[in-house]
Amino acid sequence: MNIKENNLIPSSEVFVMENGDPVKKDIQEFLKNKRVVIFGLPGAYTSVCSAKHLPGYVNMFDLYKEKGIDHIICISVNDPFVMNAWGKENKVEGKILMMGDPSLNFTKAIGADVDKSGRGLGIRSNRYTMLVDDMKVIKLQEEKDTGSCEMSAAENFLELV
């Protein structure tokens, strides 16, 4: 990743679902004057993302709130409809904001893009978690392999918040 601790999050277009429709937003809208955890992952419905990464943040939501986190954002290179459906299946409502980055605007801007074409996935995001305070990256944990979810896992990242 080319973004580092103490860097500002770049302006990037992402998508969220609002009232059943995909809406394009600048990610900075969600970060300004807020303390936020963002976790990025290779894809909705993929094995490690579905078994550990997303459920971990859903299950630990209250502990993150107790530490002063305003929002927890899950971002993937999937479209907003897929992110919304995956979020519903994982009961994220009121806990995790599901954000689609289908054109990799944010993912490429922070240097998290990885080529997984050999596995039939195309260009995806590396797995990472970051603590952002008013658009500034405070803590960043990036996995060396997208199949691993240790440093970026909810229970491990909580210790850094």
Side-chain angles (χ1 to χ4, degrees), residues 39-55 74-79 82-83 86-87 90 98-101 107 112 114 116 119 121-128 146-147:
F39 66 102
L41 39 81
Y45 295 103
T46 56
S47 58
V48 176
C49 303
S50 293
K52 184 168 184 173
H53 213 177
L54 178 58
C74 174
I75 189 164
S76 183
V77 299
N78 299 101
D79 69 65
V82 168
M83 293 299 287
W86 190 45
N90 284 276
M98 303 300 282
M99 197 171 282
D101 187 21
T107 302
V114 293
K116 293 293 180 178
R119 296 196 61 212
L121 299 172
I123 306 299
R124 294 293 175 143
S125 173
N126 200 5
R127 186 180 311 280
Y128 63 87
T146 57

Side-chain angles (χ1 to χ4, degrees), residues 13-17 22-25 80 98-103 105:
E13 290 180 345
V14 293
F15 286 86
V16 294
M17 294 295 284
V23 178
K24 188 186 305 184
K25 303 265 186 172
M98 303 300 282
M99 197 171 282
D101 187 21
S103 299
N105 292 322

Side-chain angles (χ1 to χ4, degrees), residues 128-142:
Y128 63 87
T129 302
M130 62 175 80
L131 172 63
V132 179
D133 193 349
D134 193 20
M135 297 191 290
K136 182 179 180 180
V137 178
I138 305 300
K139 294 288 180 193
L140 173 63
Q141 294 290 339
E142 177 186 19

